[in-house]
Amino acid sequence: MTPAIDAHVRLDTHPTHPSAVQAVLTGSQAHVAVMALEAADWSAAATNVLVLARIDHEEPYWAADAAKHLIAEGITVEITPRLQEAIDEEWTWANYPMPWCTRSEIRAVSNQAQKIHDDIRHGQLLIHAHAHDGHTTIAVGTYLHPSGKSVYLHGEDHLRQIADIFDSPAKALLAFEKAHSAEMHPGPAPLTDTDAPPSKRAPSATSPQPSPNPSALSRRPSPSTWPIPATTTRSSTPSSKRTASSKSGAPGTTTPLSPTTNRSPCASSSTTTPGPVTRSGPSPRTKHRSATACGT
């Protein structure tokens, strides 16, 4: 049996930032829990106070995952009722451009996008140039660690993916310039509202503002989504309005850099499932029951 550690972690929804999770630590060995949470990409907000803020609004899921690991280490964890409600809620993006993905596949796509976001934010991935392909932002960059590869990035926020890999920055830039010379700009693209730190995010119609109503604190905003480049005909037309998604749509038009570029990260599914119901309110997202394709 794992010996108990004198540390108590209280997990709750963040008081001002929708979907973010806050951890308050107490106990003579609270530093042990601090190190464990920082290793899981939680950020220190104050002494023994950490925050988990992600671009994919999956904080409740990853907070539950962190709680399991802390408990396994012998640390006491308390999860507030409103955070538990957010953890238990089944939801998915309205108008998701890859509607054939299961809920777990959607989470895997956004987790990869989160890693790219963190690599850029921590200076591990240097962006050389960016462009807009008519649908979304594309970019080319290089990982700065030894033997780091150069990558072609497609998409924004929770949909950003590595679409191609190159052996050198020169090869990556030449290919990028050949495909997007007319729209190419040096350096990284301007931050989206989701990319920006919470304190610098501008209010928007799709991002609910802080509310004194506790039930509103766990609501997740739905930033704009865009179609990924693909040869399949199942990508959807970008729209700022979040409504029920459809499995039909116009094909993407982005020019691939190589024959193997722009493959969908999700496996195609031929199973027909009931259409999702769009939930009304300040956080327009789609809620699923466990029987739907996006249920886990």
Side-chain angles (χ1 to χ4, degrees):
M1 183 177 179
T2 304
I5 296 175
D6 184 21
H8 180 276
V9 178
R10 184 177 188 271
L11 300 177
D12 195 1
T13 55
H14 196 278
T16 58
H17 300 300
S19 85
V21 176
Q22 180 174 271
V24 178
L25 287 62
T26 55
S28 61
Q29 295 178 296
H31 63 281
V32 177
V34 169
M35 290 187 293
L37 290 174
E38 287 181 335
D41 296 322
W42 292 62
S43 301
T47 302
N48 289 343
V49 177
L50 292 92
V51 173
L52 180 63
R54 295 173 57 91
I55 60 173
D56 58 3
H57 309 298
E58 293 279 6
E59 292 94 337
Y61 172 86
W62 292 107
D65 183 72
K68 293 176 183 177
H69 286 86
L70 292 172
I71 293 171
E73 294 296 327
I75 297 172
T76 302
V77 177
E78 173 193 357
I79 298 177
T80 64
R82 63 183 175 186
L83 176 56
Q84 188 61 56
E85 180 182 357
I87 292 171
D88 293 338
E89 181 184 34
E90 290 293 337
W91 69 280
T92 192
W93 300 96
N95 287 343
Y96 193 74
M98 297 173 283
W100 56 91
C101 290
T102 65
R103 186 67 183 91
S104 60
E105 287 171 336
I106 290 173
R107 186 176 287 121
V109 170
S110 64
N111 194 43
Q112 288 299 315
Q114 182 70 45
K115 291 178 180 179
I116 295 171
H117 169 84
D118 291 340
D119 288 341
I120 295 173
R121 183 166 61 95
H122 296 312
Q124 298 172 1
L125 175 55
L126 176 65
I127 302 301
H128 305 302
H130 72 278
H132 198 280
D133 67 357
H135 289 299
T136 189
T137 299
I138 51 180
V140 60
T142 299
Y143 280 94
L144 301 181
H145 54 73
S147 69
K149 299 289 186 178
S150 294
V151 294
Y152 166 64
L153 303 176
H154 184 280
E156 300 173 352
D157 304 331
H158 65 290
L159 294 175
R160 183 158 43 191
Q161 305 165 37
I162 295 177
D164 210 346
I165 300 176
F166 299 86
D167 292 330
S168 71
K171 291 180 180 179
L173 280 167
L174 285 173
F176 193 82
E177 184 175 6
K178 182 178 180 180
H180 307 290
S181 59
E183 305 86 11
M184 186 174 173
H185 301 282
L191 293 177
T192 67
D193 199 41
T194 301
D195 269 325
S199 60
K200 297 182 180 181
R201 292 177 188 171
S204 68
T206 57
S207 296
Q209 298 306 299
S211 168
N213 181 3
S215 64
L217 297 178
S218 64
R219 293 172 181 168
R220 299 165 198 167
S222 298
S224 298
T225 58
W226 302 88
I228 63 166
T231 56
T232 178
T233 60
R234 287 182 294 184
S235 61
S236 61
T237 302
S239 171
S240 60
K241 184 179 180 181
R242 297 294 158 263
T243 58
S245 62
S246 171
K247 289 194 176 183
S248 63
T253 57
T254 299
T255 303
L257 294 184
S258 72
T260 59
T261 302
N262 305 331
R263 290 181 179 177
S264 169
C266 297
S268 175
S269 172
S270 60
T271 303
T272 301
T273 56
V277 177
T278 301
R279 191 174 180 180
S280 61
S283 175
R285 63 178 183 270
T286 304
K287 188 173 182 179
H288 282 263
R289 301 299 181 186
S290 59
T292 66
C294 288
T296 54

